[in-house]
Amino acid sequence: MDDTKYKITIVGGGSTWTPGLLKSLCIKKDKLPLRELVLYDIDEKRQEPIGKFAQILFSEENGQVKVIYTTSKEIAYENTDFVFCQIRSGGFKMRELDEKIPLKYGVVGQETCGPGGFAYGLRSIPDMIEIVNDVRKRSKDTWILNYTNPAAIVAFALDKVFPEDKRILNICDQPINLLKSYGKIVNTDYKELQPVYFGLNHFGWFKNLYNKEGVDLAPIIKETILKNGFEPADKEERDQSWLDTYAMVKKILENYPEYLPNTYLQYYLYPEYKVSQLNPNYTRTNEIINGREKKVFLESQRVIDKNTAKGSPLAVNEAHADMIVDLAAAIVNNTNEEFILITRNEGTISNIPDDAMVEVNCAMDKNGPRKFSVGAISTFYKGLIEQQYAYEKLTCEAFFEKSYHKALAALTLNRTVIDGFKAKKILDELIIANKGYWPELL
Ligand code: NAD
Ligand code: G6P
Ligand code: MN
């Protein structure tokens, strides 16, 4: 590697995930050397405290880097090498409605799954298209690494609008979170586990988990989960709803023992049970507002008041942070490292449509992801994935064509809904709630 230094822009700089990301950038400064870091957000009140936190942390850990925070797109996107994107269109206010409206009708209310994910998707698509256009106006070759949810819908829509743009990558940290937790079961560092993963985003499975000697540890991991249950590797940091989510993996394996499921499959496989477990008056958003969000903003202020980030519980590089930094480092250092990424299918899973945005193993270098073939999948998985693919495609088409009919069709196809009357009632209420965010559906 030469001594080039990079400019990174974090879009959604006021995100609750930004502090961890900052710490990871400090820890990994040798493999991803920076000259400038810009935190950009549309909300100055969120951006300022986290911006100041960033300046304090970097002054202590990576003092060479110019760190600024801004609400100006021009400053953010000018001559930047990487855009790390993590916005929430409509904020937690709209996420709360995404969760609570479906639950009123006895349907799963969740950030990325079911009608909640649908509503969020229709808000994220226009904002993400605008961000890509704004970035490309100023920085033609910038890599746009995107965490913004619902990643499945965002990826599908961006692939349709910018089919030739090879430098937009949509990513999710859940496969790594799961790998870390599997690693704990078999006393193995997750980096030494070589996974084989396939599916759509938040809708996939681990087929194999090979150790360094090439032994597949998936059978022993499944056996242990079936016996002892399953917990996240970082369980001390987790709210109750996440512990409940991980615990569901045991139930899924009892019924579908072939592959290790992504935790999000709980909502699609057991929608009625999950609804019975969710509190329609206190959802995940309420948990976050009283937990993660509060912690981030109180602790940023404490760091600002003390003028030091040393020992701060926010200065911790979780899997989420490391994944995006490792990915950027793999690009600049042309490492050919493996990641599980969201990418256009094009035959990777040979018996589902080519334009599906699949989540699969890829080797990553400066030319982008090269995906590893999965081959044909068996009937159960093919059926589930094709139905979810149809839901994703119709959701995007509903947006592009402003089609009420397609929106209703999408929701009806979603396994968390199924019933057409319920789909219509939920859609009609979501339309009212999302006025000003969604296009008018005709
Ligand atoms: P958050 O609301 O705390 O942060 C989002 C920030 O984005 C806010 O500060 C908001 O003001 C800002 N924002 C909104 N629209 C913007 C725009 N158009 N331009 C610039 N900034 C904008 O939310 P959070 O919980 O920290 O999550 C942030 C995002 O990251 C969400 O989309 C979340 O779903 C996603 N996420 C994805 C994964 C994944 O696996 N892909 C993992 C974690 C978080
Ligand atoms: C996982 C998922 C993300 C999701 C995140 C946070 O990491 O992969 O897509 O946004 O969890 O979820 P939460 O409910 O805690 O905001
Ligand atoms: Mn995710």
Side-chain angles (χ1 to χ4, degrees):
M1 191 176 65
D2 61 20
D3 59 0
T4 310
K5 292 190 172 170
Y6 301 94
K7 172 176 169 183
I8 292 184
T9 303
I10 301 179
V11 180
S15 154
T16 56
W17 298 95
T18 300
L21 194 44
L22 299 168
K23 178 66 181 183
S24 188
L25 287 168
C26 287
I27 293 176
K28 294 172 189 278
K29 61 185 174 192
D30 292 336
K31 65 176 188 177
L32 188 61
L34 302 190
R35 64 170 194 281
E36 188 175 341
L37 176 67
V38 181
L39 306 191
Y40 162 68
D41 204 289
I42 50 169
D43 183 344
E44 199 172 356
K45 283 207 295 295
R46 294 182 75 92
Q47 187 53 92
E48 185 175 300
I50 298 183
K52 287 187 172 156
F53 171 89
Q55 289 174 331
I56 295 168
L57 179 75
F58 270 72
S59 73
E60 291 175 332
E61 301 197 10
N62 197 358
Q64 313 266 306
V65 184
K66 178 179 170 196
V67 180
I68 58 169
Y69 58 92
T70 182
T71 52
S72 151
K73 288 181 196 178
E74 287 70 26
I75 295 173
Y77 299 146
E78 204 59 55
N79 201 20
T80 190
D81 299 297
F82 285 94
V83 166
F84 291 179
C85 195
Q86 44 185 19
I87 67 160
R88 184 179 294 290
S89 305
F92 287 117
K93 178 175 83 50
M94 290 308 294
R95 175 171 173 180
E96 186 176 5
L97 294 174
D98 292 345
E99 292 165 351
K100 290 186 177 173
I101 291 172
L103 281 171
K104 281 204 324 206
Y105 300 93
V107 168
V108 166
Q110 211 280 326
E111 182 195 25
T112 64
C113 303
F118 168 87
Y120 189 18
L122 295 198
R123 294 195 302 277
S124 295
I125 295 171
D127 286 0
M128 286 305 304
I129 292 172
E130 186 180 324
I131 286 171
V132 173
N133 280 325
D134 284 340
V135 171
R136 285 289 173 258
K137 250 185 252 161
R138 298 171 176 90
S139 296
K140 192 165 61 56
D141 298 325
T142 305
W143 284 90
I144 301 173
L145 308 184
N146 180 52
Y147 263 134
T148 303
N149 267 321
I153 300 295
V154 169
F156 199 96
L158 292 183
D159 190 54
K160 291 289 178 252
V161 181
F162 305 101
E164 301 304 324
D165 193 326
K166 303 289 180 222
R167 292 193 171 188
I168 304 172
L169 270 182
N170 295 284
I171 61 175
C172 171
D173 59 4
Q174 192 59 359
I176 294 199
N177 288 326
L178 291 168
L179 274 180
K180 275 195 155 172
S181 307
Y182 301 145
K184 224 166 175 184
I185 291 176
V186 285
N187 279 321
T188 305
D189 184 342
Y190 79 100
K191 292 209 167 99
E192 289 180 12
L193 288 176
Q194 165 65 60
V196 179
Y197 187 86
F198 75 97
L200 306 174
N201 176 240
H202 289 187
F203 205 97
W205 292 264
F206 288 91
K207 274 178 143 173
N208 313 97
L209 294 157
Y210 295 109
N211 70 7
K212 269 174 138 178
E213 285 73 44
V215 179
D216 187 3
L217 301 182
I220 180 80
I221 291 170
K222 285 192 284 188
E223 212 176 286
T224 314
I225 292 174
L226 281 166
K227 208 163 89 210
N228 303 336
F230 190 41
E231 291 177 328
D234 55 351
K235 65 176 176 186
E236 294 77 17
E237 315 299 321
R238 296 282 186 155
D239 292 325
Q240 188 56 46
S241 65
W242 271 112
L243 301 179
D244 297 344
T245 289
Y246 275 69
M248 282 297 288
V249 170
K250 177 172 186 256
K251 285 194 200 294
I252 300 178
L253 280 176
E254 280 165 359
N255 291 331
Y256 311 101
E258 197 171 7
Y259 303 137
L260 281 153
N262 191 304
T263 46
Y264 283 91
L265 284 159
Q266 65 169 338
Y267 299 110
Y268 300 104
L269 295 173
Y270 308 109
E272 281 178 25
Y273 175 75
K274 281 311 294 182
V275 169
S276 77
Q277 299 295 299
L278 295 170
N279 178 351
N281 300 312
Y282 192 86
T283 57
R284 175 68 188 139
T285 300
N286 304 112
E287 216 177 29
I288 295 171
I289 291 171
N290 295 321
R292 184 169 80 229
E293 193 189 36
K294 194 179 255 172
K295 175 180 159 190
V296 165
F297 287 95
L298 282 177
E299 178 57 16
S300 303
Q301 195 52 51
R302 198 194 62 80
V303 166
I304 296 164
D305 293 343
K306 298 265 180 229
N307 199 26
T308 178
K310 290 211 172 90
S312 169
L314 286 191
V316 176
N317 59 317
E318 350 77 17
H320 172 85
D322 286 344
M323 179 178 179
I324 197 164
V325 178
D326 288 343
L327 189 62
I331 293 169
V332 302
N333 300 315
N334 199 35
T335 62
N336 214 19
E337 221 171 305
E338 235 181 279
F339 294 86
I340 295 168
L341 302 172
I342 304 164
T343 182
R344 197 188 298 150
N345 185 35
E346 296 173 321
T348 308
I349 301 175
S350 60
N351 53 348
I352 68 161
D354 274 351
D355 71 337
M357 294 304 283
V358 292
E359 195 162 59
V360 291
N361 295 65
C362 299
M364 191 69 199
D365 62 24
K366 67 178 187 188
N367 296 306
R370 273 174 296 108
K371 42 219 178 204
F372 296 170
S373 165
V374 173
I377 53 176
S378 59
T379 308
F380 180 54
Y381 303 94
K382 182 173 176 335
L384 286 171
I385 287 176
E386 281 184 333
Q387 185 176 17
Q388 181 72 358
Y389 158 82
Y391 151 78
E392 291 175 3
K393 184 170 151 72
L394 282 165
T395 300
C396 293
E397 288 176 0
F399 175 84
F400 292 122
E401 298 168 25
K402 302 184 174 46
S403 164
Y404 180 93
H405 168 75
K406 287 198 169 174
L408 185 58
L411 281 182
T412 307
L413 268 177
N414 195 288
R415 279 189 59 86
T416 65
V417 185
I418 300 298
D419 182 89
F421 287 132
K422 276 190 191 172
K424 185 162 181 354
K425 283 184 194 148
I426 295 170
L427 177 59
D428 289 345
E429 193 164 338
L430 287 174
I431 287 174
I432 295 167
N434 282 276
K435 203 164 182 332
Y437 292 104
W438 286 8
E440 199 182 335
L441 301 178
L442 303 167

